[in-house]
């Protein structure tokens, strides 16, 4: 079943001679439950694409449908609700709130949505992410890898249908990246969560169902993997 449909997406930054076409007419669909890797050189538009799919940035033109809903036809208030409920975004540079501790960063989106965090669910997730002992530390008191785990926890905590991850293992050693990949695969499998994962790591891309390659804002390759 098709979950996401991306139609003729364009994103242009700047004007005149400073104009950059970060996305140039990108179209593809994503079936529910797919684990999709997005690869491509630096500056090819990967983060731009992810931010638009997560509703944090608007396209210059083109459309994104999630469950037949036209994401950018919504007003800002409903777009904010979409961001809180339907997608979990793991940012390349974490975007943690510096004055909130690990636990508060993880529970913030749920609380903003007027819901009460479930203590057991939180404990389980902190355990799984191996940051239980660091739950009351501020981001500045955490290593890069630990901050990355907090940002992953924040995206997973609300159990959204779609996880959008920008280099989720970019700051981790190979043992830790393998653990984070296992966690994402488990979440993908147990909850039929759809995942779009940007990576520079070929190993990670090969663990996904499909690999989409961007270059200069365009899709240059779209291949299925035999995931075993
Ligand atoms: N806010 C912005 N203003 C102007 N140009 C931007 C902005 N954000 C991104 N760009 C430009 O758009 C292009 C795509 O950037 P993007 O961050 O999507 O690349 P990327 O594929 O994620 O790269 P990386 O692998 O280095 O993270 C780049 O040329 C970048 O300089
Ligand atoms: Mg990027």
């Amino acid at each position: 079943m098709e979950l996401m449909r991306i139609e003729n997406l364009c994103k242009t930054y700047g004007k005149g001679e400073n104009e950059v076409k970060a996305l140039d007419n990108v179209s593809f669909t994503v079936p529910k439950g797919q684990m999709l890797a997005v690869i491509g050189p630096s500056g090819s538009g990967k983060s731009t694409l992810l931010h638009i799919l997560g509703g944090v940035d608007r396209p210059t033109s083109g459309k994104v449908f999630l469950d037949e809903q036209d994401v950018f036809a919504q007003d800002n208030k409903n777009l904010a609700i979409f961001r809180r409920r339907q997608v979990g975004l793991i940012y390349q540079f974490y975007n943690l709130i510096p004055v909130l501790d690990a636990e508060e960063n993880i529970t913030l989106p749920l609380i903003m949505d007027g819901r009460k965090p479930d203590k057991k669910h939180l404990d389980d997730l902190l355990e799984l992410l191996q940051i239980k002992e660091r739950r009351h530390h501020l981001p500045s008191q955490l290593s890069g890898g630990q901050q990355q785990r907090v940002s992953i926890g924040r995206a997973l905590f609300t159990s959204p249908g779609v996880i959008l991850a920008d280099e989720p293992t970019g700051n981790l050693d190979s043992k830790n990246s393998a653990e984070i990949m296992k966690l994402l695969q488990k979440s993908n499998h147990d909850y039929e969560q759809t995942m779009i994962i940007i990576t520079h790591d070929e190993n990670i891309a090969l663990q996904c169902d499909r690999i989409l390659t961007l270059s200069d804002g365009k899709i240059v390759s779209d291949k299925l993997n035999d995931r075993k």
Side-chain angles (χ1 to χ4, degrees), residues 197-208:
I197 301 174
I198 294 177
T199 184
H200 278 111
D201 185 336
E202 194 189 354
N203 236 328
I204 291 196
L206 289 171
Q207 288 176 54
C208 295

Side-chain angles (χ1 to χ4, degrees), residues 5-212:
R5 188 162 79 251
I6 289 91
E7 285 181 357
N8 308 108
L9 214 56
C10 293
K11 179 73 183 180
T12 309
Y13 291 111
K15 288 219 159 58
E17 59 183 43
N18 293 323
E19 189 177 284
V20 176
K21 265 193 176 171
L23 291 177
D24 188 3
N25 216 20
V26 168
S27 302
F28 62 100
T29 61
V30 186
K32 182 171 160 61
Q34 186 166 68
M35 220 167 170
L36 170 65
V38 178
I39 62 172
S42 180
S44 57
K46 305 181 297 295
S47 294
T48 304
L49 173 65
L50 213 71
H51 293 163
I52 292 175
L53 298 185
V56 295
D57 204 359
R58 284 184 182 269
T60 305
S61 62
K63 288 188 178 182
V64 174
F65 293 89
L66 181 75
D67 258 343
E68 297 300 324
Q69 178 190 20
D70 185 342
V71 172
F72 295 102
Q74 309 178 92
D75 59 19
N76 284 335
K77 181 169 165 267
N78 283 308
L79 193 60
I81 295 173
F82 164 86
R83 282 199 296 270
R84 289 203 296 273
R85 297 198 184 150
Q86 293 186 267
V87 293
L89 220 154
I90 300 168
Y91 290 89
Q92 188 167 12
F93 305 108
Y94 321 134
N95 277 19
L96 299 175
I97 314 263
V99 296
L100 299 183
D101 69 20
E103 181 174 316
E104 290 165 334
N105 264 288
I106 290 176
T107 54
L108 185 70
L110 200 88
I111 291 171
M112 299 250 298
D113 202 34
R115 289 185 278 165
K116 201 169 170 292
D118 180 85
K119 194 174 170 319
K120 168 122 191 354
H121 179 42
L122 178 63
D123 283 350
D124 289 349
L125 190 60
L126 290 168
E127 176 93 48
L128 216 57
L129 292 164
Q130 295 169 21
I131 43 174
K132 220 170 178 175
E133 283 70 45
R134 296 281 182 280
R135 65 198 296 165
H136 295 307
H137 288 233
L138 297 173
S140 60
Q141 301 165 326
L142 297 170
S143 71
Q146 288 164 343
Q147 291 179 56
Q148 188 149 42
R149 288 159 187 276
V150 173
S151 80
I152 292 169
R154 178 178 57 188
L156 292 178
F157 191 58
T158 56
S159 312
V162 181
I163 293 287
L164 303 165
D166 201 344
E167 303 258 5
T169 63
N171 228 320
L172 303 175
D173 57 33
S174 56
K175 178 173 168 283
N176 278 295
S177 0
E179 280 168 7
I180 291 297
M181 269 315 276
K182 255 199 224 140
L183 179 70
L184 293 177
Q185 279 166 342
K186 182 169 164 31
S187 203
N188 163 254
H189 181 265
D190 293 358
Y191 306 111
E192 236 196 322
Q193 223 164 19
T194 305
M195 301 212 169
I196 303 186
I197 301 174
I198 294 177
T199 184
H200 278 111
D201 185 336
E202 194 189 354
N203 236 328
I204 291 196
L206 289 171
Q207 288 176 54
C208 295
D209 299 309
R210 171 180 173 197
I211 306 179
L212 203 76

